Amino acid sequence: MTTNHQSSPVRTKPWVPVFVSSEEFDDREREYVLRVIDKKRSFRFHGSQEESDAARLEKLYRDRLNVSHCLAVNAGTSALIAAMIGAGIGPGDEVIVPAYTYIATASAVLIARAVPVIVEVDDTLTMDPQALEAAITPHTKAIIPVHMKGIPCQMDEIMEVARRHRLLVIEDVAQANGGTYKGRALGSIGDAGCFSFQQYKLVTAGEGGMIATNHDIIYARASIYHDSAYGFWGLNQYPDVKLFPGENYRMSEINAALGLAQSERIDSLVSRLQRVKKRIAAGIADIPELQLQRIPDPDGDVSYSLNFFLPDAATAERFSKRLAEEGIPNGTIHNNGFADRHIYKNWTYIMEKQGASERDTPWNCASYTGNVEYSPDMCPNTLDWLSRAVSISLHQSLTDEDCDDAIKAIHKAMGRN
């Protein structure tokens, strides 16, 4: 990378925040929320389910994903926990998670009383199928592939490993709502899919989540777990599934109304994002020093993030700084504070095997006879890829002129004009 760097920045207009949600609240959101208020019904189990926005949201995702069951919950983390409980995961089990994901993925495994096993990601920045298979032990019960930054995982390879070893697959789709893999909606490929509607997601309700599954028992058990009084609302479709203690992970009608309004426009959001990303990616394809992130299915990429790798960490840091000076906000593993919670080595309570009670953690419960160990340097490939990565957040409102500014800024930051 040369240093032909002029003082006048390419772009002076504001770009977008490092993390964005759709944030297109308009008359539709207002109408749906006011409908809830006018009905004086903020709790979904008060009155007819036909009038429930949570029930409407569940139907929308059943239809979108072409699955038998969807269950609205209050957060993406809640969706992961309830799905694992629904699948029968618990004490004594190991669940494989990627080294690069939001900490909630691993934390949810602990809350389900299972043990997270952390494996490498590759140049897709999603789970490396070879590392996945190498980590399987007699205690492994499930895999949680994470469609990180809107990028679909290598699901053919992951599902082949899972089938061969008879493992459950629970997709974490928190960052990839609206994405697909070879024509199938993300969240519909594994045994269950878990979504988030938190503020920083493409589709937001402020907070919220969704479980999708074709398995009757997973759905029945997740329903019981998401509501400690579920058996008392008269809604239990599977009376043969015994009741057990649950949490209160219900979604409110107000959150559901926001999520419904947002989800009704998801296809147009993804389409605009894909056009933006393709334009910028094509415009920088002539820079040999930049290695674009490999995407297992480009047509299924949600496309809210453009990621590429520089030859080494020091070069990535210098480039990132210059690109920011050119008016294009971006992040690396080192200068993006949000990244800390997404990288395994920073998950202190997992690295140190700390639970809410030192007397009783998933690692030392009587039913666990495995021996999982953690260390900050246990996934060197992941740390290498991340140290060389530069990420630019994209937004559906970016124009062709905005994209061309980004292309010029990237070329300039590389000293190519």
Side-chain angles (χ1 to χ4, degrees):
M1 182 167 64
T2 61
T3 57
N4 180 18
H5 196 63
Q6 302 172 13
S7 58
S8 177
V10 167
R11 184 179 178 88
T12 57
K13 295 182 292 184
W15 185 255
V16 293
V18 173
F19 288 91
V20 294
S21 66
S22 67
E23 293 184 355
E24 289 191 354
F25 288 178
D26 58 20
D27 290 342
R28 186 183 311 189
E29 280 81 3
R30 189 175 297 107
E31 174 192 347
Y32 288 13
V33 170
L34 288 176
R35 181 175 64 194
V36 172
I37 294 172
D38 289 343
K39 288 189 298 186
K40 298 180 174 60
R41 176 186 174 162
S42 58
F43 178 56
R44 73 170 296 182
F45 295 136
H46 175 70
S48 168
Q49 281 298 287
E50 284 72 23
E51 297 179 1
S52 164
D53 279 288
R56 291 188 180 104
L57 184 63
E58 289 167 347
K59 183 181 185 307
L60 184 151
Y61 276 85
R62 285 198 304 272
D63 294 343
R64 275 192 60 85
L65 304 174
N66 191 27
V67 297
S68 302
H69 307 289
C70 280
L71 178 67
V73 292
N74 62 358
T77 307
S78 304
L80 286 167
I81 298 165
M84 281 187 277
I85 298 296
I89 296 166
D93 295 331
E94 293 176 354
V95 178
I96 298 176
V97 303
Y100 181 49
T101 179
Y102 187 53
I103 189 172
T105 308
S107 179
V109 175
L110 295 175
I111 296 170
R113 305 292 296 150
V115 171
V117 175
I118 300 169
V119 300
E120 298 267 25
V121 302
D122 56 23
D123 58 342
T124 68
L125 295 182
T126 67
M127 184 179 285
D128 179 344
Q130 292 184 336
L132 157 65
E133 183 149 30
I136 294 171
T137 76
H139 309 287
T140 308
K141 181 72 173 285
I143 306 162
I144 304 183
V146 181
H147 306 295
M148 194 68 177
K149 287 183 172 289
I151 307 298
C153 293
Q154 298 160 85
M155 290 306 295
D156 280 350
E157 294 86 343
I158 290 170
M159 293 303 296
E160 193 278 328
V161 171
R163 283 192 292 267
R164 192 151 31 83
H165 293 273
R166 299 185 179 181
L167 301 176
L168 295 161
V169 175
I170 298 175
E171 296 175 72
D172 185 334
V173 202
Q175 296 193 14
N177 195 350
T180 61
Y181 178 76
K182 298 185 177 181
R184 295 185 64 182
L186 300 182
S188 70
I189 302 169
D191 296 281
C194 297
F195 296 78
S196 171
F197 305 127
Q198 192 264 348
Q199 178 65 30
Y200 292 132
K201 305 304 184 288
L202 180 68
V203 170
T204 179
E207 288 285 4
M210 184 72 71
I211 303 168
T213 184
N214 283 310
H215 293 258
D216 295 346
I217 302 303
I218 292 178
Y219 172 72
R221 285 177 52 84
S223 297
I224 292 167
Y225 191 74
H226 103 293
D227 184 340
S228 60
Y230 186 77
F232 298 92
W233 302 121
L235 300 171
N236 188 4
Q237 304 172 44
Y238 301 96
D240 292 339
V241 178
K242 290 185 177 180
L243 296 176
F244 54 87
E247 305 278 356
N248 283 326
Y249 290 163
R250 300 178 299 255
M251 177 182 280
S252 81
E253 286 291 283
I254 291 177
N255 290 108
L258 282 173
L260 183 62
Q262 292 263 296
S263 296
E264 286 177 347
R265 63 164 69 94
I266 190 169
D267 290 331
S268 65
L269 293 177
V270 173
S271 177
R272 281 180 277 166
L273 285 166
Q274 289 179 335
R275 191 175 72 84
V276 165
K277 184 169 181 176
K278 288 177 181 177
R279 185 180 183 94
I280 299 175
I284 62 174
D286 62 337
I287 306 177
E289 299 94 332
L290 296 184
Q291 176 187 346
L292 285 170
Q293 175 188 18
R294 180 166 62 91
I295 301 173
D297 180 4
D299 291 338
D301 180 6
V302 178
S303 299
Y304 69 81
S305 179
L306 176 67
N307 310 295
F308 47 83
F309 307 103
L310 279 295
D312 54 67
T315 303
E317 282 295 300
R318 289 194 299 270
F319 172 85
S320 175
K321 181 179 179 181
R322 290 172 182 169
L323 187 59
E325 290 171 352
E326 296 303 331
I328 307 298
N330 66 92
T332 71
I333 186 175
H334 298 294
N335 65 18
N336 184 348
F338 282 98
D340 289 349
R341 69 198 72 165
H342 295 83
I343 303 169
Y344 78 95
K345 68 174 184 174
N346 299 316
W347 303 342
T348 306
Y349 58 79
I350 294 176
M351 292 292 104
E352 299 177 358
K353 295 185 178 180
Q354 293 294 317
S357 167
E358 293 186 6
R359 298 187 307 273
D360 182 23
T361 72
W363 296 282
N364 66 14
C365 73
S367 56
Y368 181 58
T369 57
N371 184 30
V372 171
E373 297 295 337
Y374 310 107
S375 68
D377 60 354
M378 63 185 287
C379 294
N381 294 337
T382 297
L383 297 179
D384 177 62
W385 286 115
L386 292 175
S387 72
R388 299 190 288 114
V390 173
S391 180
I392 302 173
S393 290
L394 306 177
H395 193 275
Q396 64 272 8
S397 297
L398 293 174
T399 64
D400 288 350
E401 180 185 0
D402 297 327
C403 295
D404 293 342
D405 281 349
I407 293 167
K408 291 176 186 176
I410 292 169
H411 277 84
K412 186 177 176 184
M414 290 297 300
R416 296 180 66 84
N417 60 335

